[in-house]
Amino acid sequence: MTSTQAALEVEKLPDKALTDSIAILDFGSQYSQLIARRVRELRVYSELLPCSTSAAELKRLNPSGVILSGGPSSVYDRGAPTLDREIWKLGLPVLGVCYGMQLMANDLGGRVEPAEVREYGRATLTVVHHGELFYGMDPAIESWMSHGDSVTELPPGFAVTGRTMDTPVAAIADEERRFYGLQFHPEVVHTVGGQEILKNFVLNVCRATPSWTMDRFIDRALVDIRQRAGGKRVLLALSGGVDSSTLAFLLHKAIGEKLTCMFIDQGFMRKNEPEWLVETFESQFHIHVHYVKARDRFLEKLKGVTDPEEKRKKIGEEFIRVFEEESRRLGPFDYLAQGTLYPDVIESAATQIDPKTGERVAVKIKSHHNVGGLPPDLQFKLIEPFAKLFKDEVRKVAEELGVPEGIRVRHPFPGPGLAIRVLGEVTRERLKTLREADWIIREEIKAHKLYRQVWQIFGVLLPTKSVGVMGDQRTYQNQIVIRAVTSEDGMTADWARLPYDLLETISRRIVNEVPGVNRVLYDVTSKPPATIEWE
Ligand code: XMP
């Protein structure tokens, strides 16, 4: 079973009566998820389904329309993914993107061949017939192309609606059957007006009602959670990140005291954060948090460890051990709640489906460590209310639920925390040095009102020392690297072009205020080839 099939098994598209939806059949493009996100931005629920989804299954799911994603194959390759041809007879509007368009042309009686000129990157699309899809748009559209094949013969009933310099058939339509094909990618930001095209398809062609809102999602989730877990005990491991914090709010609203929140303090959080987190939940929101002080245990495990992989592994293993002990002590619990998001469901197979009940069962706990098997006698059924949400949707849910801004808009923070930013051996003293420097970095980026503009900004303590001079004294001390990146999703990133005066202030303050540091550096590497974190 592929992971998208697993996703399909978990929950079906919601009732049409409740929410109109668009089904996106995934032919393997790197942009498939992006199409789903773009459709959701139009406030229409969308779901990524495997391209092998049958017409019968699709009919049962009852979407308002179908989008066929792009993909790396050629339709004439042996073993290239195909579509259940009955889908063409369902009477549903279909938009084929790139490979999706070629498949449409091929299946319906046209012809696809290797293009004379392969087209990659930007190209101007000339709209020759606006129809429903390009309704209200400029006749020249800056579009993003990425294809080696082209449609050379149209299927019966189709007309060319757009062309580029190199691709005479760059957009096609059969308005009567409401079938549309685009050789370019409307979902990527480089296609100017791409969202307008998707809007025309989803709202005008498919006539989907834009009813997917986060307040509705919350109402529905509360009912679902109460139905499944009302009266039962649910455990949640709080990390302080936006997903688990928002989940705590939602579950507390649904089942109140039946929820147990546990926060394991490994000792690798930023300055004041564990205290702030527990205090905020307890006194402001009256959500009790079991605070587990495990700092010494983790430091003990890291003694003498310098290899990044070993460090992560040791922390992950210790996390699971503490989790296990504490959940036995506080338990038993019927359910484990996790802040799993839709991309996790699509991309990972860290969970299994119980063949008897069809419920997801945790075989690994999805802590932010991505490791750690649970012993066989400690298995939980899962509650994952966000398993169909993207990150930006969770942020909206957080806003609706009144999760404080300090949690909602915070930068991502890795599970192993500062331990993977103290390069080399992690000691209490070196953690303190980094914590103080990190505090200054955050204070200054906020004071310059640039916190929200960057994806992440943090300090890294190097394992080397360098010579400096302070007053008349020669020094031989630590170095801190400032790492700041911009990114859409953390998969790729660019180093942030921070103003020099900000860098200057951070550098001056760190050297003056953090004992034992005499040099500050700025990381100017993008991802790839570097990663965002240093370990
Ligand atoms: P890299 O360093 O791989 O990081 O470019 C990409 C994003 O993931 C975060 N990150 C982690 N998050 N557990 C987490 O929950 C981890 O072990 C972990 N390692 C990296 C990183 O901060 C960045 O946002």
Side-chain angles (χ1 to χ4, degrees), residues 124-187:
T124 304
L125 179 91
T126 306
V127 178
V128 293
H129 175 71
H130 274 74
E132 289 264 8
L133 201 64
F134 299 124
Y135 179 79
M137 298 188 66
D138 280 348
I141 297 173
E142 190 78 359
S143 67
W144 186 258
M145 291 283 185
S146 166
H147 66 113
D149 294 343
S150 282
V151 174
T152 51
E153 224 176 280
L154 290 179
F158 277 79
V160 174
T161 54
R163 58 179 152 75
T164 67
M165 276 266 276
D166 294 321
T167 308
V169 185
I172 57 173
D174 176 343
E175 298 273 355
E176 200 161 311
R177 285 187 285 179
R178 298 185 297 170
F179 290 162
Y180 299 87
L182 299 174
Q183 188 53 76
F184 58 94
H185 290 272
E187 68 276 19

Side-chain angles (χ1 to χ4, degrees), residues 90 105 177 215 237 246 248-249 259 261 269 311 329 344 371 427 449 480 509:
L90 292 177
R177 285 187 285 179
D215 54 341
T246 309
F249 271 63
L259 169 72
C261 289
M269 294 277 275
K311 210 187 256 185
R329 194 171 66 79
D344 304 327
V371 288
T427 62
K449 304 208 178 331
I480 292 282
R509 280 196 59 193

Side-chain angles (χ1 to χ4, degrees), residues 266-270 311-312 315 368-369 413-422 426 431 434-435 458-459 533 535:
Q266 311 170 116
F268 307 139
M269 294 277 275
R270 295 182 163 121
K311 210 187 256 185
R312 279 174 174 272
I315 297 171
H368 35 216
H369 297 301
F413 189 67
L418 300 185
I420 56 164
R421 295 175 181 171
V422 168
V426 182
L431 278 168
L434 178 61
R435 212 172 256 131
F458 54 86
E533 302 290 345
E535 281 194 341

Side-chain angles (χ1 to χ4, degrees), residues 312 368 370 412-416 421 455-456 490 527 531-533:
R312 279 174 174 272
H368 35 216
N370 310 319
F413 189 67
R421 295 175 181 171
W455 169 265
Q456 267 173 305
K527 171 185 177 177
T531 48
I532 296 174
E533 302 290 345

